[in-house]
Amino acid sequence: RTMPVARPTRQIPDAAWTTGIREMTEPWKGALGCLGVAVFFTMTISIISWQALEQPPEEWVLRGQAGGMLWERRRGALLLRVLPAGRTVLVITVGSVPATEPPPPRDHCWHDGGQFCYAWEEDAELHLSLEPSPAPATECYSVRWTPLRPDVTLKDCFSMANVSWYGGASIRAQRWPLNGAESHTQPFVSGDFSKNPAGYGPVLERYFLGSTGVTVTVPPDVPLFLSVESERHFCLETPAGRAAEPLRYSLCLSSDITAAHRHGCLVWSFTPCNGWHRAAGAWWFSHSYRTYFSTFPSPQEDLAPERREKQDSARGWDPALLEPLQLSITLSSYTSIASPLFLRSLRDGDTASHWLSLQPRSGGCSVPLLTTWKGRLCVRLNVTSEAALSWYLARARHLQQALGATYVVFEGAEGNAFLEQAVPPPAELLGDGYTEALATALVTLGNATIISAGARSSHLPLFIQMSPLRSDWSHAGLKGLIPSVLHYSLLGYNFFIPDAVG
Ligand SMILES: *[C@@H]1O[C@H](CO)[C@@H](O)[C@H](O)[C@H]1NC(C)=O
Ligand SMILES: *[C@@H]1O[C@H](CO)[C@@H](O)[C@H](O)[C@H]1NC(C)=O
Ligand SMILES: *[C@@H]1O[C@H](CO)[C@@H](O)[C@H](O)[C@H]1NC(C)=O
């Protein structure tokens, strides 16, 4: 009676065994299956890659009225394009994030038409926005990169292909336009060529003008590095590490270079700029000043014996002889640590308010910051101290009156003593804060004041002493003279005194 139950259980394994035998004897069916799977995979892969290839090479990220910004996938670049004509006026190669990873069309600021944000995971975040326009027919965009890791160097390079660039920093072998210049990455701070020939010169502004009608302006509080690769690009960078800070700048787009300069200037300068037109006048003026001035023999001049005799006999200061001559005195903001002035302030314990000092973090005395100036170990006037500044100006005024000097020349206004020693500067002396503060104070000495550097001081009635040129036919000599004159004038410094070759 149990047989009907047991029979089906024995029959099922039988049937399974026979079908297995049949499949093994017909291998072409298995092969067909494999082929089907392979074809399926091939199709999927080709569809995916076709979709990837079909993606547009550029994508709009921010659109304004007159133009807009695009992301170019191949290079990892931001493009600025004029809208109706579709002309690309600016290419910014982005060096801080992997270029292959493109931002999606819809970012996390998509609800606001005037902004674009995207974060490259753990690298950096990009924020683009439209800015209020400084003038009609000019459109400005703000670009802000924020590092998301301390070791990310933010670096944006502005292409020179089909764009001539002007402005920025003066360099030893000055070029006009900037495209022919070459400089390694270094802080964007004014400097003295006799101290550092490969550094940036005495006149600079965080302003670049492109021949396609674009301007690039960097705010003064951004710690900035600049490098220039001849005929390729110039790059704006911020330092990585502990002091990692966002890289911020503004781009302004105008119909042409003249309009761009007129309106772009409003962004960084205190007065409207029309430098190019005034350059010629300033040149003539400063040249006639120079010839007038050089008639006064300097003490170092090697006088011929007969002239020396004549001079000796003329001792006694005949005022009539000196009438047409004008005297100039030269001062600087440095004092040697061996000078009685410094030793006295050291004894009185007021070094911190008189000279630039390092403030220790955990209390204690501040220590004067030492620098070298003309081969001597020196300290530098603290221009952010009211007391020190008025004391210094009073001394200068007294000297000027006592000697009856027409001109007062201030040397060594350039540079950042903190950055030279690789010490982070205090907030009020970031970048070219020193030059700016000193220039602002010197204006009170009258309209015959000559200063050796210019940074954010083009609106002040001061003469700029051009840095001495080499006496040869190179870009550091005579060939650099006109490029320098044009550079100074473009940045709004219309009154300057040419030296040596001039
Ligand atoms: C520069 O201009 C030329 C001629 O108009 C054009 O062929 C070339 O592609 C441009 N180069 C770049 C990098 O835009
Ligand atoms: C300059 O002087 C001011 C006022 O005395 C002081 O607060 C500041 O720390 C000084 N700056 C430097 C860099 O020494
Ligand atoms: C400079 O100042 C003097 C006296 O303060 C004045 O007589 C002269 O007109 C001024 N020169 C210019 C060009 O403003």
Side-chain angles (χ1 to χ4, degrees), residues 400-425:
Q400 191 183 8
Q401 274 158 14
L403 299 172
T406 316
Y407 297 97
V408 193
V409 184
F410 286 86
E411 285 189 328
E414 59 280 320
N416 187 320
F418 290 91
L419 285 182
E420 278 162 25
Q421 310 293 326
V423 175

Side-chain angles (χ1 to χ4, degrees), residues 58-64 67-72 77-83 90-92 116 126-130 139-143 156 158 249 251 253:
E58 305 158 349
E59 207 162 341
W60 284 99
V61 288
L62 187 64
R63 224 184 249 260
M69 301 198 72
L70 296 99
W71 176 264
E72 198 201 86
L78 282 167
L79 313 182
L80 184 62
R81 189 163 287 175
V82 178
L83 262 181
L90 179 63
V91 178
I92 309 170
F116 171 85
L126 173 64
H127 183 233
L128 300 174
S129 60
L130 275 169
E139 196 164 79
C140 292
Y141 304 82
S142 125
V143 180
D156 278 6
F158 297 76
Y249 56 87
L251 303 173
L253 174 64

Side-chain angles (χ1 to χ4, degrees), residues 207-464:
Y207 169 72
F208 298 87
L209 174 67
S211 57
T212 48
V214 285
T215 60
V216 181
T217 327
V218 187
D221 58 335
V222 175
L224 185 68
F225 281 65
L226 172 75
S227 62
V228 186
E229 250 181 79
S230 158
E231 305 301 338
R232 279 195 64 211
H233 54 221
F234 72 89
C235 303
L236 303 181
E237 260 179 67
T238 57
R242 199 161 39 87
E245 287 213 32
L247 174 62
R248 286 181 287 132
Y249 56 87
S250 298
L251 303 173
C252 289
L253 174 64
S254 300
S255 53
D256 57 54
I257 184 169
T258 322
H261 182 49
R262 204 159 44 231
H263 302 145
C265 255
L266 294 173
V267 180
W268 60 274
S269 168
F270 299 90
T271 46
C273 311
N274 46 1
W276 270 336
H277 316 298
R278 278 193 274 159
W283 165 245
W284 182 84
F285 179 83
S286 51
H287 191 74
S288 50
Y289 158 86
R290 170 81 196 166
T291 40
Y292 188 21
F293 207 64
S294 55
T295 51
F296 191 77
S298 65
Q300 299 100 316
E301 224 164 328
D302 198 13
L303 297 173
E306 63 272 22
R307 276 187 66 194
R308 191 175 290 149
E309 255 168 48
K310 246 195 220 163
Q311 213 197 16
D312 285 344
S313 64
R315 267 247 170 94
W317 289 90
D318 180 3
L321 195 70
L322 285 175
E323 190 79 67
L325 301 177
Q326 292 178 320
L327 185 69
S328 116
I329 52 173
T330 301
L331 304 174
S332 87
S333 57
Y334 292 92
T335 193
S336 158
I337 55 164
S339 68
L341 193 66
F342 176 69
L343 294 175
R344 202 179 324 127
S345 73
L346 203 60
R347 205 169 44 239
D348 298 346
D350 58 0
T351 50
S353 61
H354 270 69
W355 316 108
L356 291 183
S357 309
L358 297 173
Q359 314 289 347
R361 271 215 197 101
S362 51
C365 303
S366 58
V367 182
L369 181 73
L370 298 185
T371 53
T372 51
W373 168 249
K374 297 205 168 175
R376 261 185 287 172
L377 208 50
C378 289
V379 288
R380 206 173 186 196
L381 185 79
N382 177 354
V383 284
T384 55
S385 155
E386 276 303 325
L389 203 56
S390 51
W391 164 81
Y392 182 69
L393 292 177
R395 257 178 94 90
R397 221 170 276 128
H398 174 74
L399 259 178
Q400 191 183 8
Q401 274 158 14
L403 299 172
T406 316
Y407 297 97
V408 193
V409 184
F410 286 86
E411 285 189 328
E414 59 280 320
N416 187 320
F418 290 91
L419 285 182
E420 278 162 25
Q421 310 293 326
V423 175
E428 67 275 17
L429 292 176
L430 276 178
D432 277 306
Y434 193 94
T435 311
E436 191 188 3
L438 186 63
T440 310
L442 294 184
V443 167
T444 58
L445 292 180
N447 56 16
T449 309
I450 300 159
I451 188 169
S452 63
R456 291 202 304 285
S457 58
S458 62
H459 61 297
L460 300 173
L462 296 170
F463 285 98
I464 302 282

Side-chain angles (χ1 to χ4, degrees), residues 75 159 161-162:
R75 279 186 284 185
S159 170
N162 293 348

Side-chain angles (χ1 to χ4, degrees), residues 55 59-62 70-73 76-78 94 96-112 114-129 142-148 152 154 156 247:
Q55 272 183 343
E59 207 162 341
W60 284 99
V61 288
L62 187 64
L70 296 99
W71 176 264
E72 198 201 86
R73 285 163 200 280
L78 282 167
V94 165
S96 37
V97 293
T100 46
E101 194 195 316
R106 186 165 277 196
D107 56 279
H108 67 252
C109 300
W110 62 272
H111 51 274
D112 185 343
Q115 287 188 48
F116 171 85
C117 328
Y118 185 76
W120 279 262
E121 207 174 311
E122 299 218 331
D123 284 318
E125 187 183 47
L126 173 64
H127 183 233
L128 300 174
S129 60
S142 125
V143 180
R144 184 192 172 97
W145 284 99
T146 312
L148 300 178
V152 178
L154 300 173
D156 278 6
L247 174 62

